mmCIF file of all heavy atoms in Angstrom:
data_model
loop_
_atom_site.group_PDB
_atom_site.id
_atom_site.type_symbol
_atom_site.label_atom_id
_atom_site.label_comp_id
_atom_site.label_asym_id
_atom_site.label_seq_id
_atom_site.Cartn_x
_atom_site.Cartn_y
_atom_site.Cartn_z
ATOM 1 N N SER V 82 1.114 -4.638 15.813
ATOM 2 C CA SER V 82 2.305 -5.483 15.957
ATOM 3 C C SER V 82 3.064 -5.544 14.644
ATOM 4 O O SER V 82 2.465 -5.699 13.585
ATOM 5 C CB SER V 82 1.928 -6.909 16.343
ATOM 6 O OG SER V 82 1.245 -6.911 17.559
ATOM 7 N N VAL V 83 4.374 -5.414 14.743
ATOM 8 C CA VAL V 83 5.250 -5.523 13.581
ATOM 9 C C VAL V 83 6.334 -6.538 13.923
ATOM 10 O O VAL V 83 7.005 -6.394 14.949
ATOM 11 C CB VAL V 83 5.880 -4.162 13.224
ATOM 12 C CG1 VAL V 83 6.841 -4.301 12.054
ATOM 13 C CG2 VAL V 83 4.810 -3.126 12.913
ATOM 14 N N MET V 84 6.475 -7.558 13.103
ATOM 15 C CA MET V 84 7.423 -8.644 13.361
ATOM 16 C C MET V 84 7.242 -9.223 14.775
ATOM 17 O O MET V 84 8.213 -9.514 15.475
ATOM 18 C CB MET V 84 8.876 -8.165 13.171
ATOM 19 C CG MET V 84 9.224 -7.737 11.758
ATOM 20 S SD MET V 84 8.868 -8.989 10.503
ATOM 21 C CE MET V 84 10.040 -10.258 10.945
ATOM 22 N N GLY V 85 5.979 -9.348 15.156
ATOM 23 C CA GLY V 85 5.669 -9.976 16.436
ATOM 24 C C GLY V 85 5.890 -9.089 17.652
ATOM 25 O O GLY V 85 5.791 -9.554 18.786
ATOM 26 N N ARG V 86 6.165 -7.813 17.401
ATOM 27 C CA ARG V 86 6.414 -6.910 18.534
ATOM 28 C C ARG V 86 5.272 -5.905 18.646
ATOM 29 O O ARG V 86 4.881 -5.282 17.658
ATOM 30 C CB ARG V 86 7.735 -6.173 18.360
ATOM 31 C CG ARG V 86 8.906 -7.091 18.088
ATOM 32 C CD ARG V 86 10.172 -6.298 17.934
ATOM 33 N NE ARG V 86 10.518 -5.674 19.196
ATOM 34 C CZ ARG V 86 11.228 -6.266 20.137
ATOM 35 N NH1 ARG V 86 11.668 -7.482 19.969
ATOM 36 N NH2 ARG V 86 11.501 -5.637 21.264
ATOM 37 N N ASP V 87 4.782 -5.764 19.852
ATOM 38 C CA ASP V 87 3.697 -4.830 20.127
ATOM 39 C C ASP V 87 4.270 -3.406 20.170
ATOM 40 O O ASP V 87 5.099 -3.092 21.028
ATOM 41 C CB ASP V 87 3.076 -5.198 21.483
ATOM 42 C CG ASP V 87 1.871 -4.347 21.823
ATOM 43 O OD1 ASP V 87 1.748 -3.224 21.271
ATOM 44 O OD2 ASP V 87 1.059 -4.797 22.642
ATOM 45 N N MET V 88 3.828 -2.578 19.233
ATOM 46 C CA MET V 88 4.407 -1.233 19.106
ATOM 47 C C MET V 88 4.187 -0.374 20.347
ATOM 48 O O MET V 88 4.974 0.529 20.627
ATOM 49 C CB MET V 88 3.823 -0.512 17.875
ATOM 50 C CG MET V 88 4.228 -1.104 16.542
ATOM 51 S SD MET V 88 5.997 -0.972 16.190
ATOM 52 C CE MET V 88 6.556 -2.581 16.647
ATOM 53 N N ALA V 89 3.122 -0.643 21.086
ATOM 54 C CA ALA V 89 2.842 0.153 22.287
ATOM 55 C C ALA V 89 3.819 -0.179 23.416
ATOM 56 O O ALA V 89 4.058 0.630 24.305
ATOM 57 C CB ALA V 89 1.407 -0.069 22.747
ATOM 58 N N LYS V 90 4.387 -1.385 23.338
ATOM 59 C CA LYS V 90 5.287 -1.809 24.424
ATOM 60 C C LYS V 90 6.756 -1.646 24.049
ATOM 61 O O LYS V 90 7.635 -1.925 24.863
ATOM 62 C CB LYS V 90 5.015 -3.275 24.779
ATOM 63 C CG LYS V 90 3.660 -3.470 25.421
ATOM 64 C CD LYS V 90 3.445 -4.931 25.778
ATOM 65 C CE LYS V 90 2.024 -5.148 26.301
ATOM 66 N NZ LYS V 90 1.587 -6.533 26.050
ATOM 67 N N LEU V 91 6.988 -1.238 22.811
ATOM 68 C CA LEU V 91 8.365 -1.121 22.344
ATOM 69 C C LEU V 91 9.077 0.001 23.106
ATOM 70 O O LEU V 91 8.569 1.111 23.210
ATOM 71 C CB LEU V 91 8.338 -0.792 20.846
ATOM 72 C CG LEU V 91 9.590 -1.076 20.046
ATOM 73 C CD1 LEU V 91 9.806 -2.576 19.903
ATOM 74 C CD2 LEU V 91 9.458 -0.444 18.663
ATOM 75 N N ARG V 92 10.246 -0.297 23.629
ATOM 76 C CA ARG V 92 10.995 0.738 24.342
ATOM 77 C C ARG V 92 11.735 1.612 23.341
ATOM 78 O O ARG V 92 12.057 1.173 22.235
ATOM 79 C CB ARG V 92 11.995 0.104 25.303
ATOM 80 C CG ARG V 92 11.311 -0.746 26.334
ATOM 81 C CD ARG V 92 12.229 -0.973 27.533
ATOM 82 N NE ARG V 92 11.601 -1.915 28.434
ATOM 83 C CZ ARG V 92 11.899 -3.208 28.486
ATOM 84 N NH1 ARG V 92 12.865 -3.696 27.719
ATOM 85 N NH2 ARG V 92 11.276 -4.013 29.308
ATOM 86 N N ARG V 93 12.012 2.823 23.748
ATOM 87 C CA ARG V 93 12.671 3.779 22.865
ATOM 88 C C ARG V 93 13.973 3.218 22.281
ATOM 89 O O ARG V 93 14.253 3.342 21.100
ATOM 90 C CB ARG V 93 12.973 5.071 23.648
ATOM 91 C CG ARG V 93 13.477 6.204 22.796
ATOM 92 C CD ARG V 93 13.498 7.484 23.590
ATOM 93 N NE ARG V 93 12.150 7.911 23.916
ATOM 94 C CZ ARG V 93 11.404 8.690 23.129
ATOM 95 N NH1 ARG V 93 11.902 9.123 21.996
ATOM 96 N NH2 ARG V 93 10.193 9.031 23.481
ATOM 97 N N ARG V 94 14.721 2.534 23.126
ATOM 98 C CA ARG V 94 16.013 2.014 22.650
ATOM 99 C C ARG V 94 15.844 0.829 21.690
ATOM 100 O O ARG V 94 16.794 0.398 21.050
ATOM 101 C CB ARG V 94 16.916 1.642 23.826
ATOM 102 C CG ARG V 94 16.394 0.516 24.684
ATOM 103 C CD ARG V 94 17.350 0.215 25.836
ATOM 104 N NE ARG V 94 16.721 -0.614 26.837
ATOM 105 C CZ ARG V 94 16.582 -1.924 26.730
ATOM 106 N NH1 ARG V 94 17.045 -2.547 25.677
ATOM 107 N NH2 ARG V 94 15.970 -2.620 27.670
ATOM 108 N N GLU V 95 14.605 0.277 21.618
ATOM 109 C CA GLU V 95 14.365 -0.838 20.689
ATOM 110 C C GLU V 95 13.927 -0.362 19.304
ATOM 111 O O GLU V 95 13.859 -1.144 18.365
ATOM 112 C CB GLU V 95 13.283 -1.768 21.253
ATOM 113 C CG GLU V 95 13.708 -2.461 22.538
ATOM 114 C CD GLU V 95 12.565 -3.279 23.124
ATOM 115 O OE1 GLU V 95 11.494 -2.711 23.415
ATOM 116 O OE2 GLU V 95 12.760 -4.493 23.281
ATOM 117 N N ILE V 96 13.628 0.929 19.184
ATOM 118 C CA ILE V 96 13.113 1.456 17.915
ATOM 119 C C ILE V 96 14.132 1.306 16.767
ATOM 120 O O ILE V 96 13.758 0.884 15.676
ATOM 121 C CB ILE V 96 12.618 2.921 18.081
ATOM 122 C CG1 ILE V 96 11.376 2.920 18.993
ATOM 123 C CG2 ILE V 96 12.283 3.541 16.728
ATOM 124 C CD1 ILE V 96 10.828 4.295 19.317
ATOM 125 N N PRO V 97 15.421 1.596 16.987
ATOM 126 C CA PRO V 97 16.372 1.425 15.877
ATOM 127 C C PRO V 97 16.383 0.000 15.318
ATOM 128 O O PRO V 97 16.461 -0.186 14.100
ATOM 129 C CB PRO V 97 17.724 1.773 16.505
ATOM 130 C CG PRO V 97 17.390 2.673 17.634
ATOM 131 C CD PRO V 97 16.069 2.198 18.165
ATOM 132 N N ARG V 98 16.276 -0.980 16.188
ATOM 133 C CA ARG V 98 16.289 -2.373 15.719
ATOM 134 C C ARG V 98 15.034 -2.671 14.886
ATOM 135 O O ARG V 98 15.102 -3.347 13.861
ATOM 136 C CB ARG V 98 16.408 -3.339 16.901
ATOM 137 C CG ARG V 98 16.522 -4.782 16.472
ATOM 138 C CD ARG V 98 17.434 -5.577 17.382
ATOM 139 N NE ARG V 98 17.098 -5.352 18.779
ATOM 140 C CZ ARG V 98 16.392 -6.200 19.517
ATOM 141 N NH1 ARG V 98 15.950 -7.320 19.010
ATOM 142 N NH2 ARG V 98 16.134 -5.936 20.777
ATOM 143 N N LEU V 99 13.901 -2.153 15.336
ATOM 144 C CA LEU V 99 12.667 -2.300 14.548
ATOM 145 C C LEU V 99 12.858 -1.704 13.159
ATOM 146 O O LEU V 99 12.558 -2.327 12.140
ATOM 147 C CB LEU V 99 11.502 -1.588 15.250
ATOM 148 C CG LEU V 99 10.260 -1.408 14.360
ATOM 149 C CD1 LEU V 99 9.462 -2.693 14.274
ATOM 150 C CD2 LEU V 99 9.388 -0.259 14.831
ATOM 151 N N ARG V 100 13.396 -0.488 13.110
ATOM 152 C CA ARG V 100 13.508 0.219 11.823
ATOM 153 C C ARG V 100 14.499 -0.453 10.882
ATOM 154 O O ARG V 100 14.367 -0.346 9.669
ATOM 155 C CB ARG V 100 13.902 1.682 12.081
ATOM 156 C CG ARG V 100 12.855 2.397 12.924
ATOM 157 C CD ARG V 100 12.490 3.764 12.415
ATOM 158 N NE ARG V 100 11.379 4.299 13.177
ATOM 159 C CZ ARG V 100 11.449 5.394 13.935
ATOM 160 N NH1 ARG V 100 12.584 6.062 14.010
ATOM 161 N NH2 ARG V 100 10.382 5.806 14.599
#
Side-chain angles (χ1 to χ4, degrees):
S82 300
V83 177
M84 296 306 294
R86 308 180 67 87
D87 184 338
M88 292 295 99
K90 292 181 185 153
L91 200 70
R92 299 199 186 99
R93 188 169 293 272
R94 64 180 166 80
E95 295 175 302
I96 293 176
R98 184 145 49 101
L99 167 79
R100 299 225 173 117

